[in-house]
Amino acid sequence: MKHHPPLRCKASGVRQKMFAFPTQGRKGIDRLPYVDSTLKRQYNRRFLLFQQREASVFFLLDRTACTGYTEKQKNMIFTPQEVLPWKNFDELLKKYADFIVRVGVNPQPGQTLIINCPLEGAPLARLCVRSAYEAGARDVQVNWSDDAVARARMELGSEEALTDLKPWQLRRYLDYAESEGGVCVLHLIADDPELYAGIDGNKISRVNAARRAFMEEWQEYTMNDRVQWSIAALPSVPWAKKVFPELDADAAMEALWKLIFDVCRVTGGDPVNEWQAHMERLSTLRDKMNALDLESVHFESSNGTDLTVGLADQAVWESAASKSEKGVVFLPNIPTEEVFTAPHKDRVEGVVYGTKPYVFNGQLIKDFRVTFEKGRVVDYHAEQGQVLLGRLLDGDEGSRSIGEVALVPASSPINRSGKLFYSTLFDENAACHIAFGASYPGTTKGGTALTKEELLARGMNQSRLHEDVMIGAEDSHITGKCRDGRTVELFRDGVWVL
């Protein structure tokens, strides 16, 4: 559940006018004589938003300076109209923005919304800003990021500089959270699955560990649902090409947009009502699971998985929607297909095989298996990324135990799409999964009001990590053992039978 994006230091803003050389007879980036010709070719391809990050910077920052906006164009997603990838894209993107704001993060009147967004997502972010104000938000702040800059910093920056975090980087969240109106946060992500490929993995792990430790006070807000937060995605060229390697960049971007709209239930044109019906279905399954009063669940599949997951004391099954401490309903992950709860950190036994690749620290782990004894991983192997898997498992004291077990049917729209997304936000909703690291306090009865010591006493795992890995297969057979001794079949051939 609740896939958390990596903690990165975001750029605080951008200048609106970058260019000073007057030229005539050329349009867009061609007006810039000092820009590399390869970059110009990238920029001038058909879908202006769908370019490599270097090109998207020029489009997003100075398109108005180059061409100007008409009154009709100023609220459009693209300019000019002919660059839209398909006829009703503009309409669908606005519906997507309204949905992820109004249903996803659900800002309340008087509340501040913070949006974390990559530069190429500016058109979507602009729509989200307007939607939030229309919903009554007091203010909307946008923190911009860029993967190319993030990679350059990780590759070329010193570890000392990268871990030299300043109080404002934490206080920009806490100050709003502690204010009278409060805060909510929307993460718009378009991450390159292999952003840090080829960079020293030990350095990446140490830097990210330092950032997680620094942001721990804020993470307490999100892990305990003290504030509303939501994560939604948009395509980037590296991600789209990873998902659709057979297509050129433009076609891959268009295909990934269509796929995101499909699995996020936007294509039909009424995402709010479709999601309401979907959340009701998941809530029904959640209630059935809670009524069983399970003490453990057992996973089996032909790939060799044979895993028993004992549940935390007073474990509670949850589903799509969450509720903040002020009673505001929000949707942490878009999309979501799961029903999940907390394992007991000391009661997991057996072997489990990963069924989808996993992205950790901007690098891939593929074809892995892990063996548990008394709740902790005692053996592991991966065909690709074994050293990386070891770094994950050695992240801190709690990272060799699991904090979540989630049931997702093979019939989910994401799995039916037949595509591997190389994004945990999507792939975790295509298959059953477990999460190394922290438990969510809300998955034990009254857990958000308990201390860490009280949570530990119930078997709730504690860690700065929460990393979901996919274990569900097409032939997964899952049973649950009830506290009254009954065994109940939950999944057969990868789908619910409850």
Side-chain angles (χ1 to χ4, degrees):
M1 178 226 177
K2 301 183 181 177
H3 163 63
H4 280 74
L7 294 170
R8 293 184 186 155
C9 300
K10 308 289 185 181
S12 59
V14 291
R15 294 179 61 191
Q16 288 300 308
K17 299 222 175 176
M18 299 170 59
F19 311 136
F21 295 99
T23 57
Q24 295 180 359
R26 287 178 287 172
K27 295 182 180 180
I29 204 169
D30 287 330
R31 296 174 60 190
L32 310 177
Y34 54 87
V35 176
D36 179 80
S37 60
T38 301
L39 182 56
K40 291 180 183 179
R41 286 197 300 272
Q42 290 174 344
Y43 178 87
N44 286 322
R45 297 176 75 167
R46 180 168 174 236
F47 300 126
L48 298 186
L49 179 65
F50 299 167
Q51 306 309 320
Q52 299 286 350
R53 284 163 171 73
E54 293 84 354
S56 67
V57 171
F58 291 107
F59 168 61
L60 295 173
L61 298 191
D62 208 58
R63 185 64 175 171
T64 55
C66 294
T67 63
Y69 283 102
T70 66
E71 183 66 24
K72 180 180 178 182
Q73 288 173 327
K74 71 178 182 180
N75 293 324
M76 289 170 54
I77 313 312
F78 300 93
T79 182
Q81 180 71 31
E82 60 265 26
V83 302
L84 293 174
W86 63 88
K87 185 175 181 180
N88 65 335
F89 179 83
D90 193 66
E91 176 187 353
L92 291 178
L93 194 65
K94 186 176 187 307
K95 287 180 181 292
Y96 185 47
D98 284 339
F99 164 65
I100 60 182
V101 170
R102 307 295 182 93
V103 179
V105 71
N106 193 11
Q108 298 299 290
Q111 201 170 33
T112 294
L113 171 63
I114 296 175
I115 300 175
N116 294 320
C117 181
L119 289 175
E120 60 266 55
L124 177 58
R126 294 180 190 124
L127 286 174
C128 290
V129 169
R130 296 186 67 86
S131 184
Y133 277 119
E134 290 166 0
R138 173 183 176 273
D139 192 15
V140 184
Q141 301 283 335
V142 181
N143 299 323
W144 301 104
S145 65
D146 178 65
D147 273 359
V149 171
R151 181 181 171 88
R153 293 187 73 232
M154 187 65 76
E155 181 181 2
L156 305 174
S158 70
E159 193 170 323
E160 183 276 331
L162 293 171
T163 57
D164 183 19
L165 302 166
K166 303 303 182 184
W168 69 265
Q169 293 170 289
L170 174 61
R171 293 306 315 178
R172 64 177 171 176
Y173 293 101
L174 296 183
D175 284 348
Y176 284 111
E178 295 165 1
S179 66
E180 182 179 350
V183 72
C184 53
V185 181
L186 173 61
H187 303 277
L188 299 177
I189 64 171
D191 292 339
D192 178 353
E194 298 183 274
L195 175 63
Y196 295 139
I199 298 178
D200 179 8
N202 287 319
K203 177 184 179 182
I204 297 168
S205 294
R206 290 191 297 268
V207 168
N208 285 342
R211 291 174 178 175
R212 284 192 295 268
F214 179 79
M215 296 297 291
E216 186 173 9
E217 188 175 356
W218 169 245
Q219 189 179 32
E220 290 290 322
Y221 275 84
T222 57
M223 290 293 287
N224 286 280
D225 290 342
R226 294 179 61 187
V227 299
Q228 308 106 269
W229 57 276
S230 189
I231 308 173
L234 67 143
S236 65
V237 169
W239 182 25
K241 284 291 293 177
K242 188 71 176 178
V243 178
F244 295 98
E246 72 281 8
L247 302 179
D248 65 27
D250 292 343
M253 287 293 293
E254 182 172 341
L256 188 52
W257 264 122
K258 287 182 176 179
L259 192 54
I260 289 174
F261 284 161
D262 282 348
V263 301
C264 291
R265 296 175 168 83
V266 176
T267 305
D270 189 9
V272 173
N273 282 330
E274 286 198 40
W275 271 92
Q276 185 60 46
H278 176 54
M279 289 189 289
E280 288 175 2
R281 289 191 294 270
L282 290 177
S283 295
T284 298
L285 288 167
R286 173 203 65 197
D287 293 344
K288 288 182 177 181
M289 292 295 290
N290 282 321
L292 291 174
D293 192 23
L294 297 174
E295 65 177 32
S296 65
V297 290
H298 181 230
F299 293 81
E300 289 181 297
S301 55
S302 60
N303 62 11
T305 289
D306 185 358
L307 184 73
T308 299
V309 179
L311 303 186
D313 297 343
Q314 300 185 57
V316 176
W317 291 87
E318 294 287 352
S319 61
S322 293
K323 187 179 291 186
S324 75
E325 65 180 5
K326 294 184 178 179
V328 180
V329 176
F330 63 99
L331 195 58
N333 289 175
I334 300 171
T336 183
E337 304 288 335
E338 61 188 322
V339 177
F340 60 96
T341 193
H344 193 292
K345 66 182 185 64
D346 301 324
R347 299 175 188 164
V348 181
E349 302 284 342
V351 62
V352 63
Y353 285 76
T355 54
K356 294 181 183 295
Y358 175 66
V359 179
F360 179 64
N361 285 349
Q363 299 170 309
L364 283 175
I365 300 171
K366 288 184 176 181
D367 300 323
F368 67 89
R369 63 164 171 78
V370 292
T371 301
F372 290 88
E373 290 182 7
K374 296 181 180 178
R376 292 183 63 81
V377 174
V378 295
D379 185 42
Y380 63 89
H381 174 77
E383 291 297 321
Q384 177 180 331
Q386 177 158 325
V387 173
L388 188 63
L389 177 58
R391 292 192 190 109
L392 187 164
L393 295 172
D394 292 334
D396 60 27
E397 177 62 26
S399 55
R400 282 191 176 239
S401 299
I402 59 174
E404 177 191 345
V405 58
L407 305 184
V408 178
S411 58
S412 79
I414 297 158
N415 195 56
R416 288 202 312 267
S417 74
K419 282 295 180 181
L420 181 65
F421 280 80
Y422 297 95
S423 166
T424 301
L425 178 63
F426 290 86
D427 290 331
E428 73 165 2
N429 288 295
C432 295
H433 54 273
I434 56 176
F436 296 109
S439 300
Y440 288 99
T443 50
T444 184
K445 187 176 181 180
T448 56
L450 300 181
T451 65
K452 285 186 177 181
E453 292 72 23
E454 290 170 328
L455 290 169
L456 277 170
R458 293 191 183 183
M460 302 285 283
N461 196 37
Q462 302 293 308
S463 173
R464 291 193 180 105
L465 291 171
H466 183 92
E467 300 290 340
D468 297 279
V469 295
M470 284 56 76
I471 64 169
E474 294 290 331
D475 66 346
S476 288
H477 185 243
I478 307 173
T479 56
K481 183 178 180 182
C482 305
R483 296 189 189 278
D484 63 9
R486 290 178 298 143
T487 296
V488 179
E489 190 176 30
L490 306 175
F491 271 51
R492 185 189 312 136
D493 293 327
V495 296
W496 287 99
V497 293
L498 186 62

